[in-house]
Amino acid sequence: MERSAEIVGGGFAGLAAACALARRGWRVRLHERADRLRTAGAGINVYENGLRVLEALGASDETLRGGARHLARETRDQHDRLLSTHPWNVRVYGVLRQRMIDALAAAARRAGAEIITGSEGAGATPEGELTLANGERLRAELIVAADGVNSRIRDALGLVAKRRALPDGCIRILIPKVDAAEASDGRTIEYWSGNRRFLYNPCSETHLYLALTMLHADAAARAVPVDKALWSRSFPQLAPLIARIGDIARYDRFEYIRLKRWSAGRVAVIGDAAHAIPPNIGQGAGCAMMNALALGVYLDRSADIPAALAAWEAAERPLTDHTQRISLLFGMPAFWPPKLRELFYFLAARSRWLTAQRTRTARHVPTGT
Ligand SMILES: Cc1cc2nc3c(=O)[nH]c(=O)nc-3n(C[C@H](O)[C@H](O)[C@H](O)COP(=O)(O)OP(=O)(O)OC[C@H]3O[C@@H](n4cnc5c(N)ncnc54)[C@H](O)[C@@H]3O)c2cc1C
């Protein structure tokens, strides 16, 4: 018998869930409140775990079209001195966010999912009733809340155990490459200057993705459009690159969210709605997509939806919890004096234990792949 799911939110989490469920024979309808599927945030890094999920969902080739393979991550100080090099022993790609959203949406539609834009979820009950903002009520065997960090569906169910606005945030920007050869040596570089960070990250054949991270209290540094004179003073070696930054940029403060449970009755909560993660190891979307695919797998194993959701959380949550902890750890040097930060990166590059912790999520073989 065909089972039905209503999904709220058309980001990476919701679209991955739509693919995973539709490919398993569910009748899937996804509601996105915006008038089209789009993503803010320029580029994104996808690691081995996320790539495996994209392959399992049929969205990998399109996502990686023109993407930039990363071979190593360097950390440098404001004098351009190398603090550490982390060679990747797993696949890592920088890609355009919009390309990944479009690829997942196309894969979901191919699998039979219906995607409705301009449709806003307002609340859901554990019994499986979704209320839309226009007052319409829809019943389904499964409701998936994938409505991001400010999830209304999650909040109405009282699932939040902890929510913290973190003391740092980031401006994300795309700039056109000068030519195809620019930034094609497989390096991403994170530069530090005081509390400020500058990530130089190729993400396509045509664009570079820059992520400028600062304390939220550093109002001058988080201003948009970017204050190029200020950032050039912090990173003089990057002044010619900073001069190329245009006016289109986006600032987001980092958040951390933990839920009491990832589900309530027939409602599953996924993605940032369930586990917003600061992006210090770049795994928020990776975890969102892994958990979305695993949701489909666990629901296949049992007709009892609340029991399947409990089994899904028990199996998948420990890795997401670990990812949150490690990501918080790698954000801490922002609050340390430069000498301590240098020591941390010196040790981080040499410690096999720390490297193993940092790459555990990337090396994980996701359920369903
Ligand atoms: C600076 C920065 C850099 C990052 N870099 C990386 C990285 O390199 N790699 C990585 O894996 N992750 C990264 N992340 C994390 C990643 O961006 C998020 O984890 C991911 O986007 C979460 O996807 P989502 O689908 O859960 O939420 P969202 O992307 O927020 O999508 C939610 C969707 O739901 C819609 N919506 C909201 N409310 C409603 C409603 N009531 N009804 C209907 N629709 C609704 C929204 O319009 C949106 O389309 C980064 C995050 C930041 C801030």
Side-chain angles (χ1 to χ4, degrees):
M1 206 177 74
E2 195 182 48
R3 301 202 281 176
S4 62
E6 302 282 348
I7 300 176
V8 182
F12 298 123
L15 290 168
C19 286
L21 293 169
R23 288 170 75 96
R24 287 171 170 73
W26 287 67
R27 185 156 48 80
V28 175
R29 192 158 44 179
L30 181 148
H31 303 266
E32 165 56 48
R33 75 175 165 195
D35 57 1
R36 62 191 169 90
L37 295 175
R38 64 176 157 230
T39 176
I44 188 162
N45 292 332
V46 192
Y47 296 77
E48 183 72 40
N49 58 315
L51 294 168
R52 285 175 183 260
V53 174
L54 290 168
E55 281 157 11
L57 298 177
S60 162
D61 290 349
E62 175 58 16
T63 297
L64 294 185
R65 188 166 49 82
R69 175 94 191 245
H70 297 174
L71 302 175
R73 162 74 71 102
E74 288 185 1
T75 306
R76 292 177 172 267
D77 70 7
Q78 70 272 29
H79 307 297
D80 213 8
R81 281 184 313 186
L82 186 65
L83 300 179
S84 73
T85 300
H86 180 89
W88 293 115
N89 54 6
V90 290
R91 285 182 298 161
V92 185
Y93 277 85
V95 301
L96 291 166
R97 277 188 180 243
Q98 191 62 48
R99 196 163 284 175
M100 187 152 114
I101 286 286
D102 292 344
L104 283 166
R109 288 193 177 103
R110 277 197 302 275
E114 181 186 2
I115 297 176
I116 309 176
T117 54
S119 182
E120 183 172 351
T125 65
E127 293 73 35
E129 185 174 86
L130 171 67
T131 306
L132 300 180
N134 65 9
E136 198 179 338
R137 291 172 175 216
L138 306 168
R139 287 206 73 85
E141 277 160 276
L142 173 73
I143 311 282
V144 180
D147 46 346
V149 69
N150 295 313
S151 170
R152 284 174 77 178
I153 310 291
R154 170 203 67 204
D155 288 350
L157 292 166
L159 288 173
V160 174
K162 199 175 213 178
R163 179 171 185 177
R164 252 188 315 141
L166 297 176
D168 42 1
C170 176
I171 297 175
R172 286 172 282 174
I173 307 156
L174 280 181
I175 61 169
K177 283 176 148 186
V178 177
D179 56 43
E182 184 177 15
S184 55
D185 63 1
R187 279 186 308 161
T188 56
I189 310 174
E190 184 172 64
Y191 298 89
W192 284 85
S193 175
N195 302 117
R196 296 178 185 154
R197 266 186 275 173
F198 192 113
L199 178 66
Y200 173 85
N201 200 104
C203 74
S204 82
E205 68 278 57
T206 52
H207 285 83
L208 298 175
Y209 160 46
L210 308 178
L212 281 51
T213 304
M214 72 300 288
L215 298 186
H216 181 71
D218 189 352
R222 73 175 153 87
V224 173
V226 171
D227 183 338
K228 297 191 216 175
L230 176 133
W231 280 91
S232 296
R233 281 197 296 281
S234 288
F235 298 94
Q237 75 276 35
L238 300 177
L241 183 70
I242 293 168
R244 289 162 52 195
I245 293 176
D247 285 348
I248 299 174
R250 176 195 165 101
Y251 172 75
D252 288 282
R253 188 169 182 176
F254 299 157
E255 289 221 41
Y256 170 85
I257 291 178
R258 268 184 75 80
L259 300 192
K260 294 172 200 158
R261 293 184 313 282
W262 281 2
S263 66
R266 293 178 176 274
V267 184
V269 186
I270 59 170
D272 277 9
H275 49 67
I277 302 175
N280 300 310
I281 61 166
Q283 280 286 0
C287 286
M289 295 190 298
M290 284 198 296
N291 294 332
L293 174 56
L295 182 67
V297 173
Y298 275 85
L299 285 162
D300 257 358
R301 292 182 185 165
S302 167
D304 178 341
I305 289 188
L309 297 183
W312 161 69
E313 177 177 350
E316 304 298 322
R317 184 164 173 164
L319 182 65
T320 298
D321 288 349
H322 166 85
T323 309
Q324 284 187 304
R325 283 193 298 272
I326 292 298
S327 190
L328 285 173
L329 174 69
F330 274 85
M332 283 167 65
F335 312 100
W336 296 345
K339 287 288 168 215
L340 190 56
R341 184 161 57 235
E342 284 175 25
L343 180 65
F344 175 79
Y345 279 105
F346 179 83
L347 296 175
R350 284 154 188 81
S351 160
R352 288 169 73 170
W353 180 82
L354 208 50
T355 302
Q357 302 310 310
R358 179 182 179 167
T359 57
R360 188 163 130 200
T361 313
R363 290 181 290 108
H364 178 69
V365 178
T367 305
T369 67

